[in-house]
Amino acid sequence: MNLNRNELVVMWSLLFIPLGAVVGATSLLFVVGTSLSGAKKHTSLGNVSWLTGITVGLAGAVTAQLSSRLVLSISGTYDWLLNLFYLAILSYFAVTLLKKTSKPQKPKKSSLLAALVIGMMAGLLSALLGIGGGFIIVPLLVSWLGFSTHHGVGTSLAAVLFISLGGLVGYLPSLSLDYVTPLALVIGAFIGAPFGATLTNRYHDKEISNRLAWLYMAVITSIALDLGAAVYAPLAYVSLAVLLAFLVGIGLDFRRRIVNQNHFS
């Protein structure tokens, strides 16, 4: 997506599409608020393994420093390449989560080395793509370490707090940001994240994996349409419609879980 698109599409790109250094840094500021608030709530629900989270987070914070410097050097020239890379990553993790819903996972022993590798990958990709790392950490905790999805989501939030802070340290000295938008996003995150964490208790483990997989597929479709919009501009509105359709669908699903008191994991 080009940054000279209409204001509404740019607003949505800030939330879903990792383009350029300024958008990446703004996205990471939002992620700091989300992860801090969400990790606090998930800790109270018993969904956070802090040892794994800190290990993943510190490893990720180091590689996020390297990645943010790479983005600063290529921003504005190879944004389309970042989007293609993002599509490939999301496709892999969508398949991983769908496999989780179709087959029972064998418990795996926690591994310090695996946690370090997960953190390094998440830090590298989070600053590169401006996504905070949660999209990467949850599927890997589930597939590599055998975490339940509930536990993976909570632990990833703890890790993402360190990773997103590491990415910001790399960005901020070289950028001048308008902090009004990030501040509004952070305030929204502190309101929404605890609610989302509480809502996870109304879903079974496989149901959360399924919803995450559908989220990834909606974002994949949206980004592909945005890339096509460079050739045929109306595809940008189709992309927005896909995201809106997903939000309406998941919102109705949330409402059903809130109303129906029998939906608990």
Side-chain angles (χ1 to χ4, degrees), residues 94-161:
V95 170
T96 297
L97 288 168
L98 286 174
K99 284 182 178 179
K100 162 78 174 175
T101 66
S102 60
K103 306 180 175 179
Q105 299 290 308
K106 294 180 180 179
K108 301 175 185 178
K109 292 183 179 180
S110 179
S111 166
L112 177 61
L113 178 60
L116 287 171
V117 172
I118 291 171
M120 291 170 66
M121 291 176 59
L124 181 67
L125 296 176
S126 76
L128 185 64
L129 302 175
I131 57 177
F135 268 37
I136 300 154
I137 296 171
V138 175
L140 292 181
L141 289 177
V142 168
S143 60
W144 288 15
L145 295 179
F147 277 36
S148 70
T149 309
H150 287 84
H151 200 188
V153 169
T155 301
S156 75
L157 284 168
V160 162
L161 178 59

Side-chain angles (χ1 to χ4, degrees), residues 36-120:
L36 178 61
S37 181
K40 180 176 180 295
K41 184 61 179 180
H42 272 286
T43 298
S44 69
L45 296 172
N47 292 335
V48 180
S49 172
W50 277 102
L51 178 60
T52 301
I54 291 172
T55 302
V56 171
L58 292 179
V62 173
T63 53
Q65 288 285 317
L66 302 175
S67 183
S68 61
R69 283 164 175 74
L70 175 61
V71 174
L72 289 169
S73 68
I74 67 175
S75 180
T77 305
Y78 297 104
D79 288 340
W80 63 272
L81 186 59
L82 293 181
N83 271 330
L84 289 177
F85 186 49
Y86 194 29
L87 282 174
I89 292 293
L90 287 181
S91 298
Y92 170 76
F93 289 131
V95 170
T96 297
L97 288 168
L98 286 174
K99 284 182 178 179
K100 162 78 174 175
T101 66
S102 60
K103 306 180 175 179
Q105 299 290 308
K106 294 180 180 179
K108 301 175 185 178
K109 292 183 179 180
S110 179
S111 166
L112 177 61
L113 178 60
L116 287 171
V117 172
I118 291 171
M120 291 170 66

Side-chain angles (χ1 to χ4, degrees), residues 11 35 76 86 92-93 112-113 176 178 200 205 223 264:
M11 181 182 72
S35 57
Y86 194 29
Y92 170 76
F93 289 131
L112 177 61
L113 178 60
S176 177
D178 172 12
T200 59
D205 193 56
I223 294 174
F264 286 92

Side-chain angles (χ1 to χ4, degrees), residues 146-234:
F147 277 36
S148 70
T149 309
H150 287 84
H151 200 188
V153 169
T155 301
S156 75
L157 284 168
V160 162
L161 178 59
F162 293 96
I163 294 173
S164 55
L165 286 172
L168 279 174
V169 169
Y171 275 125
L172 294 182
S174 304
L175 292 175
S176 177
L177 295 178
D178 172 12
Y179 287 92
V180 175
T181 298
L183 180 61
L185 291 171
V186 169
I187 291 172
F190 269 88
I191 296 171
F195 173 75
T198 302
L199 195 56
T200 59
N201 274 6
R202 295 179 180 262
Y203 287 86
H204 293 292
D205 193 56
K206 289 185 177 181
E207 290 176 323
I208 296 178
S209 293
N210 180 269
R211 270 70 174 175
L212 284 172
W214 280 105
L215 169 62
Y216 285 28
M217 288 188 284
V219 176
I220 288 167
T221 303
S222 176
I223 294 174
L225 288 167
D226 280 322
L227 291 174
V231 177
Y232 184 62

